[in-house]
């Protein structure tokens, strides 16, 4: 059986780390990315880390002809589909851009996969599909609802995958619902490289620590949580990458189709914003000045996973601690204060 995998969005933050994990697990990879939110330098560095060039095609998932060329040239076991836009705020301002890229792009990809009879897909979904959860920890059967176009685009793709699995039972479709990915490769060579001022907590903390930003605004300290600040299930990107390998290995072992099979990737533990800031400050030895401001619109108090399904089905569980997440984020940020613009 071929062990070749198409990795859409493989130049991005999670995709680049997953490429390394796939290579280490013996998979051959072809990366397909339009570089709309990433740099070819990430591909160079992954190639260096794995000690061989990566096959990289610059292309858009909405371009069926370009995808056909790729599927004609390679016999894939399956696709890991990271390609997508992910900025919640931008999605509110530009919903059509998000639906076009994330939903139409996925439909085009699925159509081409179907043409070439490639029926194994691992899709980057998100804990955002659970909206404001009624109970914690969140398991995969929890109600889904979204309040912004980004989340809606993920939920819509999940619905499309469910319908596809019903329409033809030969599909194997695993949406992995990521909680809050943070951290970086332990080498410090690859990591998260936001284009602008970061929206997410960990890159913001890192940029305060390295002196690029003056102060962290903590959005709300009146939530019903351990210290009043938001609680999230932060998961190291290296653990997340291993979760994708586990999902593919699972698919390889199946003798019959799995249909639509959503799986959470989280640690199962909640950490508050202040707890994360304190841990980061300790491991980096840097002061992280912060102030409390109003709650951010759309934020929820607490969100953490039940990670039981990933453990029982895939044999996967997160291993790395909050301190390791902070340590690796700090190593990446301090070695590359300007991200991939810093040549190493
Ligand atoms: P990222 O922006 O770093 O990576 C996404 C990659 O997809 C980028 O390299 C981008 O250039 C590429 N891309 C976007 N649109 C494309 C298109 N039309 N054609 C080809 N390539 C395209 O983001 P990430 O953090 O690595 O996230 C990967 C996936 O996981 C995304 O789908 C995201 O929505 C999802 N996700 C991310 C998080 C998170 O917090 N980072 C959480 C849950 C889910
Ligand atoms: C975490 C906590 C903030 C920044 C988002 C997306 C979600 C998923 C992951 C893709 C919250 C607080 C943050 C800051 C702060 N992405 N915070 N100051 O909101 O849980 O999830 O990323 O699927 O869809 O919504 O992550 O890192 O933005 O925030 O106080 O400058 O940190 O209020 O409590 P979030 P986050």
């Amino acid at each position: 059986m071929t062990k070749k995998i198409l990795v859409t969005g493989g130049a991005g933050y999670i995709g680049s780390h997953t490429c390394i994990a796939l290579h280490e697990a013996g998979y051959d990879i072809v990366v397909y990315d339009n570089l709309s939110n990433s740099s070819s330098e990430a591909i160079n560095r992954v190639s260096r880390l794995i000690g061989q060039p990566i096959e990289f095609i610059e292309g858009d998932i909405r371009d069926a002809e370009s995808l056909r060329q790729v599927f004609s040239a390679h016999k894939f076991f399956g696709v890991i589909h990271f390609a997508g836009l992910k900025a919640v705020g931008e999605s509110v301002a530009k919903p059509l851009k998000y639906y076009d890229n994330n939903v139409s792009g996925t439909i085009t990809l699925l159509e081409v996969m179907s043409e070439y009879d490639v029926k194994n897909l691992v899709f980057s979904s998100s804990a955002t599909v659970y909206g404001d959860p009624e109970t914690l920890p969140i398991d995969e059967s929890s109600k889904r609802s979204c309040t912004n176009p980004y989340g809606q685009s993920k939920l819509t793709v999940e619905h499309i995958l469910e319908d596809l699995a019903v329409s033809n039972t030969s599909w194997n479709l695993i949406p992995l619902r990521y909680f809050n990915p943070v951290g970086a490769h332990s080498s410090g060579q690859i990591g998260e490289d936001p284009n602008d001022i970061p929206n997410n907590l960990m890159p913001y903390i890192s940029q305060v620590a390295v002196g690029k930003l003056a102060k962290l605004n903590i959005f709300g300290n009146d939530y019903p949580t351990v210290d009043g600040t938001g609680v999230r299930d932060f998961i190291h990107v290296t653990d997340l990458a291993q979760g994708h390998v586990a999902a593919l290995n699972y698919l390889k072992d199946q003798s019959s189709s799995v249909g639509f099979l959503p799986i959470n990737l989280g640690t199962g533990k909640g950490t508050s914003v202040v707890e994360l800031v304190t841990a980061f400050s300790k491991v980096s030895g840097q002061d992280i000045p912060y102030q409390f401001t109003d709650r951010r619109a759309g934020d929820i108090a607490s969100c953490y996973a039940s990670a039981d399904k990933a453990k029982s089905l895939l044999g996967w569980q997160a291993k790395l601690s909050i301190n390791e997440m902070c340590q690796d984020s700090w190593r990446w940020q301090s070695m590359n204060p300007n991200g991939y613009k810093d040549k190493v």
Side-chain angles (χ1 to χ4, degrees):
M1 198 189 284
T2 169
K3 287 197 89 179
K4 197 177 271 195
I5 306 297
L6 179 66
V7 185
T8 75
Y13 170 48
I14 303 169
S16 56
H17 290 80
T18 303
C19 285
I20 294 177
L22 289 170
H23 172 80
E24 286 169 351
Y27 287 96
D28 298 324
I29 51 182
V30 175
V31 170
Y32 186 86
D33 197 305
N34 67 0
L35 301 180
S36 59
N37 194 40
S38 52
S39 160
S40 57
E41 177 62 11
I43 297 290
N44 297 339
R45 294 193 190 184
V46 170
S47 298
R48 223 160 44 218
L49 285 166
I50 67 174
Q52 67 182 63
I54 283 202
E55 179 146 9
F56 171 61
I57 296 137
E58 188 170 342
D60 196 296
I61 50 164
R62 291 164 296 180
D63 183 345
E65 258 326 298
S66 164
L67 282 174
R68 283 190 190 103
Q69 282 176 23
V70 178
F71 279 79
S72 298
H74 302 274
K75 177 85 193 116
F76 292 116
F77 169 73
V79 177
I80 304 189
H81 178 31
F82 293 105
L85 299 173
K86 63 168 180 175
V88 174
E90 188 192 40
S91 80
V92 175
K94 298 177 180 170
L96 297 181
K97 179 177 173 183
Y98 274 67
Y99 288 119
D100 177 45
N101 201 81
N102 294 2
V103 179
S104 303
T106 301
I107 292 173
T108 302
L109 173 67
L110 290 165
E111 281 169 346
V112 176
M113 286 176 68
S114 183
E115 281 172 34
Y116 287 83
D117 201 27
V118 177
K119 296 284 181 55
N120 299 314
L121 178 82
V122 175
F123 169 64
S124 296
S125 190
S126 169
T128 198
V129 301
Y130 296 119
D132 196 352
E134 281 167 4
T135 51
L136 292 165
I138 306 169
D139 72 28
E140 289 80 354
S141 62
S142 302
K143 206 170 92 240
R144 289 171 292 166
S145 74
C146 289
T147 53
N148 61 72
Y150 166 72
Q152 201 61 51
S153 75
K154 291 289 170 190
L155 187 49
T156 302
V157 169
E158 285 207 4
H159 288 315
I160 290 169
L161 299 181
E162 281 177 275
D163 291 343
L164 197 58
V166 170
S167 74
N168 179 332
T169 52
S170 62
W171 284 100
N172 301 293
L173 305 164
I174 303 190
L176 294 176
R177 296 178 181 151
Y178 313 153
F179 279 66
N180 286 60
V182 296
H185 190 258
S186 58
S187 64
Q189 298 290 307
I190 59 168
E192 188 169 10
D193 183 20
N195 276 329
D196 217 332
I197 295 180
N199 299 309
N200 295 117
L201 180 61
M202 185 65 107
Y204 204 107
I205 293 175
S206 309
Q207 293 198 13
V208 172
V210 85
K212 288 182 75 176
L213 295 169
K215 189 185 277 189
L216 171 71
N217 290 315
I218 296 185
F219 303 138
N221 62 345
D222 58 352
Y223 286 108
T225 61
V226 58
D227 54 22
T229 65
V231 164
R232 295 292 183 274
D233 186 340
F234 299 100
I235 173 167
H236 198 297
V237 66
T238 300
D239 277 332
L240 200 64
Q242 292 300 340
H244 293 76
V245 173
L248 282 180
N249 288 345
Y250 175 78
L251 288 180
K252 284 188 98 59
D253 287 346
Q254 298 310 302
S255 51
S256 57
S257 302
V258 306
F260 175 81
L261 183 65
I263 301 179
N264 287 342
L265 291 185
T267 66
K269 291 187 214 88
T271 301
S272 78
V273 173
V274 164
E275 286 169 342
L276 188 70
V277 173
T278 306
F280 195 103
S281 186
K282 205 165 168 191
V283 302
S284 66
Q286 305 298 307
D287 196 26
I288 320 276
Y290 65 81
Q291 64 188 9
F292 295 117
T293 61
D294 288 346
R295 292 181 177 190
R296 183 172 66 179
D299 273 358
I300 56 175
S302 297
C303 173
Y304 51 91
S306 160
D308 294 350
K309 191 171 175 185
K311 189 174 179 193
S312 60
L313 273 188
L314 307 182
W316 171 92
Q317 62 185 327
K319 296 197 177 88
L320 298 169
S321 66
I322 286 285
N323 281 350
E324 288 164 302
M325 300 177 208
C326 294
Q327 186 71 63
D328 290 335
S329 291
W330 173 238
R331 187 180 298 106
W332 155 252
Q333 183 70 63
S334 52
M335 283 171 66
N336 310 268
N338 302 303
Y340 289 115
K341 289 185 210 76
D342 292 315
K343 298 275 178 220
V344 290

